[in-house]
C-alpha cells in the first residue's frame, strides 16, 4: 500500500461548516471513524460523520460547551455525544472495549486504546480511523487492502464475532452487496450459514431495518442469492425462495429512472401473494404505512388504465405495480406529473338534486365516482351527463 493510499483524500465533507471548530475543541484526542473514513477512501459521498475520542463523555460535553457548540447526550449510556454544528450533527463516542456480549447486546467499558476500540468493530473495512487534521489513516486489521480488493472480512474469528452480535450475519451481506466484488470471503460466508438460526433471537425490528438497508443498496441481487443459497433467510423469511423478481424489478427501475425502493423490492421478492405479504409485514413489525404499501404491491389487480389504478390505490402504489409488473413506457408517460383529481360533485349537491340524505347519498356518489373513473375523469358537460344518467337510473331502477 502506497503512502498516498494511507491518507484520507480531501473532500467537501471535511470542510463542512462548523467541523473545524469542533475538531479544534476536541484537540488531538479524536479521529474520524467508520463510514466516513471507509467511504472517503473510495471517493464516495459522505453524509454522516462519526468521531471517536479518548475523552470521557462528560469531558466531551465540557469541551463542546466551552467552544460554544451544542452538545446533546443522545447515547450517553453508550458513551455517545452528538455535537450540533452549523453544517450538521457529528456523533462523538468515547473509545470502548467489549466486556460481555450475548448475541444481542454488549456490555462495554471505556478505554484509551485505539486498537481495542477498532477490534470490537465487525469488519476490517469498518475499523479504519483517520486523523482529522492530517488525514492520516490508521488501519489495524488490513481494512484498506480489503476495501480495494472488494472483500468484506470479519475482524478475528467469524463465528466468535457472530456469537457476539447475531445481526452481523445480515450486516455481512449488506456490506458485501455494497463493497464486495466476486465471491464472498469463504470463512465469513460459512460462519453465517452455520449460525443462520441465531437470527431468530433478534428483535424483528432489527431484522427489518437491516433487510431494508440491504434492499436499498444499488445491487442487492447477488447478496440475496447468496443468502438464499446458504439458507440464511430461511429462519426469518422462509417464504422468499428466489431473487428473479427482484432482478427484473431493478432493471426496470433503471430503465424508467426510479430510485431503488426497499419496500417495493421486498414486494418483488415476495411476488403476487398479498396474504404472504401481510404475514411478513406483521412478522417484521413494519409500520402501518409500510405494511399497507407492501400488501398493495403484492396484490393482483384487474387490468385497467394506469390513471384509474393510480386513483384507486395511490400514485406510489400504482408505480410499484407497474414496475413489478410488465408495464410499457407509455404507461409511465401517462402518469407523468399526474395528480389525483377531485370528484367534481359532493353529497350535498346530490341531496339538492333529490337524493335522500343518508346511505343513499353515499351509494349514489360511489356509482357516479366509478362511472367517472371508467370514463377517464371527465369534467364539464361530459361529467354532468354521467351524473344525469346515474340520477335517472336511481329514479327508475328498471331502466337499463
Amino acid at each position: 500500500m502506497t503512502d498516498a493510499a494511507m491518507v484520507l483524500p480531501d473532500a467537501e465533507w471535511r470542510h463542512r461548516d462548523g467541523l473545524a471548530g469542533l475538531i479544534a475543541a476536541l484537540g488531538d484526542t479524536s479521529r474520524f471513524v467508520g463510514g466516513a473514513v471507509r467511504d472517503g477512501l473510495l471517493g464516495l459521498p459522505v453524509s454522516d460523520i462519526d468521531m471517536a475520542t479518548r475523552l470521557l463523555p462528560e469531558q466531551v460535553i465540557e469541551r463542546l460547551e466551552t467552544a460554544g457548540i451544542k452538545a446533546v447526550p443522545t447515547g450517553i449510556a453508550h458513551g455517545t455525544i452528538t455535537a450540533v454544528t452549523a453544517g450538521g450533527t457529528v456523533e462523538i463516542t468515547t473509545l470502548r472495549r467489549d466486556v460481555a456480549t450475548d448475541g444481542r447486546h454488549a456490555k462495554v467499558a471505556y478505554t484509551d486504546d485505539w486498537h481495542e476500540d477498532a477490534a470490537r468493530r465487525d469488519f476490517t473495512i469498518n475499523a479504519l480511523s483517520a486523523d482529522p487534521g492530517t488525514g492520516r489513516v490508521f488501519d489495524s486489521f488490513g481494512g484498506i487492502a480489503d476495501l480495494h480488493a472488494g472483500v468484506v472480512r470479519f475482524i478475528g474469528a467469524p463465528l466468535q464475532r457472530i456469537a457476539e452480535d447475531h445481526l452481523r450475519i445480515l450486516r455481512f451481506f449488506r456490506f458485501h452487496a455494497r463493497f464486495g466484488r466476486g465471491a464472498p470471503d469463504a470463512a465469513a460466508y460459512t460462519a453465517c450459514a452455520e449460525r443462520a438460526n441465531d437470527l431468530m433471537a433478534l428483535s424483528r425490528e432489527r431484522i427489518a431495518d437491516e433487510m431494508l438497508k440491504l434492499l436499498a443498496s444499488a445491487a442487492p441481487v447477488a447478496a440475496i442469492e447468496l443468502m438464499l443459497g446458504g439458507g440464511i433467510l430461511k429462519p426469518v423469511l422462509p417464504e422468499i425462495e428466489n431473487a428473479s423478481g427482484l432482478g427484473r424489478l431493478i432493471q426496470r427501475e433503471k430503465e424508467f429512472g426510479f430510485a431503488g425502493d426497499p419496500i417495493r423490492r421486498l414486494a418483488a421478492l415476495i411476488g403476487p401473494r398479498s396474504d404472504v405479504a401481510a404475514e411478513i409485514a406483521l412478522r417484521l413489525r413494519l409500520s402501518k404505512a409500510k405494511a399497507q404499501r407492501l400488501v398493495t404491491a403484492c396484490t393482483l389487480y384487474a387490468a385497467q388504465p394506469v390513471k384509474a389504478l393510480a386513483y384507486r390505490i395511490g400514485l406510489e402504489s400504482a408505480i410499484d405495480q407497474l414496475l413489478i409488473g410488465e408495464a410499457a413506457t407509455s404507461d409511465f408517460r401517462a402518469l407523468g406529473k399526474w395528480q389525483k383529481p377531485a370528484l367534481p360533485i359532493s353529497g350535498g349537491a346530490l341531496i339538492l338534486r333529490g337524493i335522500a340524505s343518508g346511505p343513499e347519498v353515499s351509494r349514489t356518489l360511489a356509482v357516479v365516482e366509478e362511472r367517472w373513473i371508467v370514463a377517464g375523469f371527465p369534467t364539464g358537460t361530459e361529467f354532468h351527463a354521467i351524473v344525469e344518467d346515474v340520477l335517472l337510473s336511481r329514479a327508475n331502477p328498471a331502466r337499463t
Side-chain angles (χ1 to χ4, degrees):
M1 188 62 60
T2 65
D3 290 339
M6 297 298 292
V7 176
L8 195 63
D10 194 18
E12 184 178 351
W13 69 269
R14 294 182 61 189
H15 303 281
R16 185 179 296 180
D17 288 348
L19 186 58
L22 174 61
I23 292 170
L26 297 174
D28 61 358
T29 69
S30 305
R31 298 177 187 173
F32 295 131
V33 292
V37 181
R38 179 197 64 221
D39 295 354
L41 284 172
L42 293 176
L44 299 174
V46 172
S47 55
D48 298 325
I49 301 177
D50 295 320
M51 300 184 74
T53 180
R54 296 195 304 271
L55 298 172
L56 294 174
E58 56 267 26
Q59 294 174 312
V60 173
I61 293 174
E62 182 180 357
R63 290 207 183 192
L64 295 185
E65 290 180 344
T66 299
I69 300 171
K70 183 178 180 180
V72 183
T74 49
I76 191 69
H78 306 288
T80 299
I81 305 298
T82 298
V84 182
T85 71
T89 60
V90 178
E91 288 197 349
I92 306 162
T93 303
T94 300
L95 297 179
R96 300 171 294 178
R97 60 182 176 85
D98 287 341
V99 175
T101 59
D102 64 4
R104 293 175 296 174
H105 309 287
K107 181 180 179 180
V108 300
Y110 298 137
T111 180
D112 61 0
D113 188 324
W114 287 99
H115 183 83
E116 273 192 314
D117 184 81
R120 70 180 300 274
R121 300 179 187 273
D122 47 13
F123 311 118
T124 62
I125 62 174
N126 291 339
L128 303 169
S129 61
D131 185 288
T134 65
R136 178 189 172 191
V137 177
F138 299 87
D139 180 9
S140 299
F141 301 101
I144 293 176
D146 286 344
L147 192 63
H148 288 287
V151 175
V152 180
R153 185 166 55 89
F154 281 102
I155 296 171
L159 285 173
Q160 178 184 340
R161 306 320 305 272
I162 290 170
E164 293 167 354
D165 184 354
H166 307 323
L167 193 67
R168 286 171 174 164
I169 295 173
L170 298 182
R171 283 175 60 83
F172 172 77
F173 291 98
R174 173 161 69 90
F175 281 91
H176 180 74
R178 187 177 178 196
F179 299 104
R181 294 196 298 275
D185 178 73
Y189 184 60
T190 299
C192 288
E194 288 182 6
R195 304 306 305 177
N197 284 339
D198 291 349
L199 292 173
M200 291 189 290
L202 295 172
S203 74
R204 294 303 179 254
E205 291 88 349
R206 293 186 77 194
I207 293 172
D209 181 64
E210 203 61 39
M211 281 299 301
L212 293 179
K213 286 179 179 177
L214 166 58
L215 289 171
S217 62
V221 174
I224 294 292
E225 289 176 338
L226 285 169
M227 296 174 82
L228 291 170
I232 312 297
L233 287 179
K234 194 171 183 179
V236 290
L237 291 172
E239 300 90 346
I240 296 176
E241 299 175 347
N242 66 77
S244 58
L246 175 61
R248 184 171 59 250
L249 167 63
I250 291 175
Q251 287 299 318
R252 294 177 67 76
E253 287 175 338
K254 293 176 181 177
E255 178 185 355
F256 293 111
F258 286 91
D261 183 276
I263 293 296
R264 182 192 302 136
R265 290 179 173 186
L266 179 57
L269 285 172
I270 296 170
R273 298 179 291 171
S274 58
D275 55 339
V276 172
E279 291 176 8
I280 289 176
L282 182 63
R283 187 185 314 145
L284 296 182
R285 296 181 183 173
L286 298 180
S287 68
K288 184 177 180 180
K290 288 180 179 178
Q292 181 176 344
R293 183 179 173 197
L294 181 67
V295 172
T296 301
C298 294
T299 300
L300 281 174
Y301 290 91
Q304 58 191 294
V306 293
K307 289 182 180 179
L309 179 66
Y311 183 89
R312 289 186 169 106
I313 67 174
L315 181 59
E316 183 179 56
S317 290
I319 290 172
D320 291 343
Q321 286 275 325
L322 295 176
L323 287 172
I324 294 172
E326 298 295 334
T329 304
S330 58
D331 292 327
F332 289 101
R333 288 177 179 167
L335 288 179
K337 296 180 180 180
W338 182 84
Q339 293 183 339
K340 183 177 181 178
L343 182 65
I345 195 170
S346 66
L350 291 178
I351 292 174
L352 292 176
R353 294 296 307 274
I355 300 296
S357 60
E360 184 63 18
V361 172
S362 297
R363 286 192 288 267
T364 304
L365 205 59
V367 173
V368 170
E369 183 179 39
E370 182 60 27
R371 292 273 300 274
W372 175 64
I373 294 170
V374 172
F377 313 102
T379 57
T381 56
E382 190 176 350
F383 174 73
H384 289 302
I386 291 175
V387 174
E388 294 299 329
D389 191 61
V390 170
L391 291 176
L392 185 59
S393 299
R394 307 296 282 188
N396 183 12
R399 180 177 177 270
T400 59

